[in-house]
Amino acid sequence: MELLNFMYSNTLSTTAAPALLDVLMAADKFEVASCMRYCSRLLRNMPMTPESALLYLELPSSVLMGEAVQPLTDAARQYLASRYKDMTKFQDEVMALPLAGVEAILSSDDLQIASEDAVYDFVLKWARAQYPRVEERREVLGSRLARFIRFPHMTCRKLKKVLTCNDFDHDVASKLVLEALFFKAEAPHRQRTLAAEESVTLNRRFVERAYKYRPVKVVEFERPRQQCVVYLDLKREECENLFPSGRVYSQAFHLGGQGFFLSAHCNMDQQSSFHCFGLFLGMQEKGSVSFAVDYEFAARSKPTEEFVSKYKGNYTFTGGKAVGYRNLFAIPWTSFMADDSLYFINGILHLRAELTIRH
């Protein structure tokens, strides 16, 4: 009756969400697009809750495909993605979400998560809890959830585990890991092109999220000395956000079986007279092993845009210890961040750390 009423008067007497959803379904069945648009607009203007957002995302597929309903489902996805962007805060709630809700969260670039490895671990944990039967789980992971995991931004160590993970169909896992490794092997400008091309589609595998631990590129040598060269790029806005006392950590990298990380800080100089940019090297907690390392920090600088060594040192690490330089560039924070700063090239700060095991 409501639908017939709308066809004659262009209005509805009902304004409650459940009733509007019923009218929306009827309008879809009888292909009354104007009524679908009307219901969708009214629902979109109501305050969203996790329950209502999930209701909209779990409408029958014929309704979901309707152009008139697209703004409503987009708003629902956006609502869930922003509500649960810090997944660790709402762990129990997120674990209880249905598939449509998890897909909405994982499609977001703004997830506040340590790394893509953590996204993968979460997806596995959720799928194991929701789909105890391995056949069902493989189906859901392969056909629905794998496309939301950004495998190209996972670490190689974790990608190895994907290949032997029983929850994924072997062919699916091989394809995903190969694609990720080919992406990692591309030159940076090709990676940026791939990410830009893909960001206009629904699939965002190559687009980097706002990870808590910044990705690094690592070159490892076994001979003539055990050594690794680590490249960490930080955007200008990431550096801006460090002021006045923030810090940003890199993903872990390994040398001689030990895990290390870089951390960039905004801190006070030795005399506490001004803020400055500091870079530190830390060893992850791992027993009481001590480890002697020569290290060198460098950064690209104008006008040559080549890496210039900024600090050399050596240090005997034990688990959990860090070493570095409080004022890497020997200038105040304001000069470092200035428009004519020598260290930002097209808005990116390029840092390099070289670590060598001392014998």
Side-chain angles (χ1 to χ4, degrees), residues 94-105:
V94 176
M95 281 301 288
L97 286 174
L99 182 58
V102 168
E103 286 179 331
I105 295 169

Side-chain angles (χ1 to χ4, degrees), residues 228-241:
C228 70
V229 186
V230 184
Y231 297 91
L232 170 66
D233 290 353
L234 296 175
K235 298 188 184 84
R236 182 183 274 275
E237 54 268 28
E238 287 177 308
C239 293
E240 275 168 3
N241 292 339

Side-chain angles (χ1 to χ4, degrees), residues 3-55:
L3 181 59
L4 281 170
N5 182 32
F6 180 86
M7 289 157 90
Y8 285 100
S9 67
N10 250 2
T11 59
L12 294 172
S13 61
T14 183
T15 53
L20 283 172
L21 270 179
D22 290 342
V23 178
L24 179 65
M25 310 270 268
D28 172 65
K29 187 172 183 181
F30 294 104
E31 298 182 359
V32 186
S34 57
C35 184
M36 288 178 77
R37 268 195 300 278
Y38 187 84
C39 294
S40 170
R41 192 169 68 247
L42 285 182
L43 289 167
R44 209 165 69 245
N45 290 335
M46 289 180 185
M48 193 87 71
T49 65
E51 294 71 30
S52 66
L54 288 167
L55 266 180

